[in-house]
Amino acid sequence: MHSDQQNLNNNSLKFECETGNYHTFCPISCVAWLYQKIEDSFFLVIGTKTCGYFLQNALGVMIFAEPRYAMAELEEADISAHLNDYMELKRLCSIIKKDRNPSVIFWIGTCTTEIIKMDLEGIAPKLEAELGIPIIVARANGLDYAFTQGEDTVLAALAQSFGLKSSNSKQQQQVGQKTSSNLILFGSVPNSVVFELTTELQSFGIEVGGWLPAKRYTEFPTINEKDFVCGVNPYLSRTATTLMRRRKCQLIGAPFPIGPDGTKAWIAKICSVFNKPTIGLDEKEKRVWKNLQNYTQVLKGKSIFFMGDNLLEISLARFLIRCGMIVFEIGIPYMDKRYQGAELAFLEKTCESMGVFLPIIVEKPDNYNQVDRIKDLEPDLVITGMAHANPLEARGINTKWSVEFTFSQIHGFTNAKNILELISKPLLRKNITGKVFV
Amino acid sequence: MKLAYWMYAGPAHIGTLRIASSFRKVHAIMHAPLGDDYYNVMRSMLERKRDFTPVTASVVDRHVLARGSQEKVIQNINRKDKEENPDLVILTPTCTSSILQEDLQNFVNRASQDTKADIILADVNHYRVNELQAADRTLEQVVKFYLDKAEKNKTLFIEKTKNPSVNIIGPCNLTFHGQHDIAELKRLFSDLGITVNVILPEGASVYEIKELPKAWFNIVPYREVGQLTANFLKNSFNMPFIDIPPIGVTETANFIREIEKILTQQGINKNFQEYIDLQTRFISQSAWFSRSIDCQNLLGKTAVVFGDATHSVALTKILSQEMGIKVLVAGTYCKHLEPWFRSQVSEYCDEVLITDDHNLVADMIASLEPSAIFGTQMERHIGKRLNIPCGVISAPVHIQNFPLSYRPFMGYEGTNQIADLIYNSFTLGMEDHLLEIFGGHDTKDIGTLTLSNELEWDENSLIELKRIPGFVRGKIKRNVEKFAKKKNITKITLDIMYACKEEGNA
């Protein structure tokens, strides 16, 4: 980590670490978007009423659409080991198999399974063999992770196990067929974003070998040694590590394709690895920026404060600085300086070229202290969770609910507009509400 | 283990937090992992609160798992004591901390040596009680704590107020239409010449607790929260209480007569009969509505009621006693209130259902096909799928059930609100009737009115189905499919439809 810091300039970004007393979603929330992404999956969250209550409320209306997820709600007898975990899970998974017939069942471990040390990884292979259905175990618990990191644990589990058990001969065949330049992208994004980013790379002569995850479990790419992998989301450091260490893949460290600047840098980095020229890429970026002018005019010179809860903060801040905004503070739950290295360097470069000071990056922030700082700094906009949004608005501070960035399409050239729409909405609204307040 | 994706009542700590955040200057510290502070989101979004929710977490992370919380909880309590200067800090265990089995009481004892605030540990077991039971217990616990303290300090007020007065016990944050009910109750008491002594816990300070015994009696408007406290006050201070929810014309009248009785016992002779008459005839439109032509058309229609005990009981009585609607099933998810629930509704409905499994409720509704449902948001969605209208009468609810406008369920204005809700939920009486006479204005397509897609309709049968007026089409479609299934037929033709009709099913 020390050497990583040196990669960035010495009088560079300042990193601080607070108490970790901040509001964020529990990482099991990843089932909300992953069950929709992986169409033939079923997610079983093994936890308590607390987990269920959170999902029920956080997922809102989705709950009523017969979702492909459920709770295995632990009762007192499970906790005190009066019931046999293996038998209980077998009973529930048999019901799921009968009713839904999914291609894969994901077990999401929670704080409770961690504490009572339920051996999910041990039980899964046995049940997998008995039921004839793949079971993937991901420990997406609040003891270790925040919000979007839930996706990271699921994808890391997939990266570790997917395709390993299928017959070796078949895999070797594929190794023989493919050259070592196979490119696999990882990160769950809506299918239209998959399409856009894939075609974008294609136009520069780069074939995407597959996405982790794909639309269906049965369509997941085989991962081979020496394959190139590249992430599209900033919170996938465990997945990246797993792909490198377990699957011997080569990680392309690039800024993330968020905002036209990020998208360009991402494409350029991948092209440079494959030695492909990027003719017309600069022009394309410029065209996108021109189309965003209506928004950037509103945002120029406005200040922003990220309280931090979803790990998208660095990329968003970098894009918004490029839009002409001033960032006071970037709160972030967890900062992997290696995985986000290229993005951090890009942030520095962006600050330099825009002539603005470098923001402070606060890892594991303390919301109480942050509210104090917000009162002092009076930023034009605070990106925050729902727990703080209404109270801040009542104190005359503009807010944008951070979770929307997780659920909106924000990747690639065409979706940059979505981000700016989200950001500028509260600022435009201020013109109205500012007048009405007595 | 239980397979589930939806629950009616939340986990225990939510109940404790609802009580804590309802008081002024009370702070709750949850012993919980990151992400368990979701209550703050709910309070801030659903109730649109302007203040920061006074709930923080003492985060349980990997280190705590390995070494125990050690000084962490104590430091967090001390820190909140200095930052927020609360009167009381409630240390709140969660499902996680109840398995860790740390000695939280010890933390409380040690922390209280250095804090200005009082500190207590919420005495709730995650695996034994739900949100509502926990709220009931926590409220009782706080009340006991401060009455004990007042007794020790000899600052307890036992002398009754000069004029008749009442404590309202139970309304708290995220109570279904709670704010409106409180306003309506205050109005009712002011009409009756009774002073409201303390409302607990909504908006109260813990210092008001020692004044509770000053009141002449207590009321517990919601059956779920406040019973324990009222019982405790009865045993300790001989304070009578009324636990009839004043919802609906009849029950509101009963409620007022109870008050009359209590006042008489305490030496004040009041006759509220004239007040009841006036309110029933002129303020509440509900009694008149029952006699109007509109309500006539509701006679004999069927309904299913499901919700918390308070509202389910109230709606069942209103539908059956006041509007002549046949309640097929009245049910509640408050299993712990089963005896009371049964005793209240059994003469007003065909069947009683006590369950917290929403699948059972859905199956029951699908098989009975009532004309309307009165339930929670879950029943609303069940109704949507089955094309049966639903009025929402109980938590759990969405944000639209925290209306900005005045919508009490209690008292005389409450009866008006409920009459509207009931009337609007049934396919509007006269309109329905006229549509039937004139064949209906046909705008509805044949949608996905069935729950299964196993059956195929051939072209001719589909054309025939289209001819059937929209408002009964769904029902007929389902009936034909049921008929076909019974006969093991997978493709529906005109013949099948007619055969079904002949059997008197469609």
Side-chain angles (χ1 to χ4, degrees), chain B residues 349-370:
Chain B
C349 63
D350 294 356
E351 223 179 297
V352 175
L353 178 68
I354 313 280
T355 181
D356 53 7
D357 179 351
H358 66 272
N359 290 312
L360 271 181
V361 179
D363 291 347
M364 177 267 290
I365 292 173
S367 70
L368 291 176
E369 294 197 22

Side-chain angles (χ1 to χ4, degrees), chain A residues 95-285:
Chain A
I95 298 174
I96 292 166
K97 192 188 167 190
K98 190 175 132 261
D99 291 352
R100 306 299 189 93
N101 196 27
S103 309
V104 59
I105 298 178
F106 288 89
W107 285 355
I108 305 295
T110 61
C111 302
T112 312
T113 57
E114 255 349 87
I115 296 170
I116 63 174
K117 300 199 164 50
M118 195 183 277
D119 182 21
L120 296 177
E121 278 92 347
I123 300 172
K126 285 184 216 153
L127 266 188
E128 197 171 85
E130 270 187 63
L131 297 173
I133 189 167
I135 295 172
I136 310 275
V137 181
R139 303 174 169 207
N141 61 68
L143 294 167
D144 301 304
Y145 306 108
F147 195 10
T148 48
Q149 286 179 292
E151 177 181 323
D152 194 22
T153 63
V154 173
L155 297 191
L158 277 169
Q160 187 153 342
S161 65
F162 186 78
L164 280 185
K165 269 168 245 145
S166 61
S167 62
N168 277 338
S169 58
K170 189 179 146 202
Q171 235 183 42
Q172 248 125 39
Q173 254 179 1
Q174 277 173 336
V175 173
Q177 281 165 6
K178 298 262 181 178
T179 61
S180 62
S181 62
N182 203 19
L183 171 67
I184 288 163
L185 301 176
F186 58 94
S188 166
V189 280
N191 295 333
S192 60
V193 173
V194 168
F195 179 77
E196 186 188 327
L197 291 180
T198 308
T199 10
E200 209 70 72
L201 288 174
Q202 229 163 26
S203 70
F204 296 103
I206 293 169
E207 283 302 321
V208 176
W211 281 76
L212 186 76
K215 224 163 57 175
R216 301 179 68 80
Y217 181 72
T218 47
E219 291 168 11
F220 279 10
T222 332
I223 303 163
N224 300 307
E225 268 186 34
K226 300 269 170 59
D227 273 352
F228 283 102
V229 290
C230 187
V232 296
N233 285 324
Y235 41 78
L236 298 176
S237 53
R238 282 172 67 87
T239 311
T241 314
T242 309
L243 286 167
M244 284 191 294
R245 297 209 181 132
R246 297 290 179 116
R247 309 303 288 257
K248 309 277 183 266
C249 296
Q250 309 176 66
L251 179 71
I252 300 174
F256 300 99
I258 291 167
D261 49 342
T263 308
K264 188 195 105 173
W266 183 74
I267 294 171
K269 182 65 195 277
I270 295 174
C271 286
S272 77
V273 170
F274 287 91
N275 282 321
K276 302 277 184 187
T278 56
I279 302 152
L281 185 59
D282 284 339
E283 290 72 17
K284 180 146 198 187
E285 191 205 352

Side-chain angles (χ1 to χ4, degrees), chain B residues 124-147:
Chain B
V124 289
N125 181 326
H126 177 91
Y127 295 95
R128 305 259 167 96
V129 297
N130 68 21
E131 170 186 356
L132 298 165
Q133 292 163 292
D136 201 11
R137 273 170 202 232
T138 305
L139 184 60
E140 184 201 24
Q141 198 189 349
V142 173
V143 167
K144 269 186 183 167
F145 179 85
Y146 278 99
L147 288 178

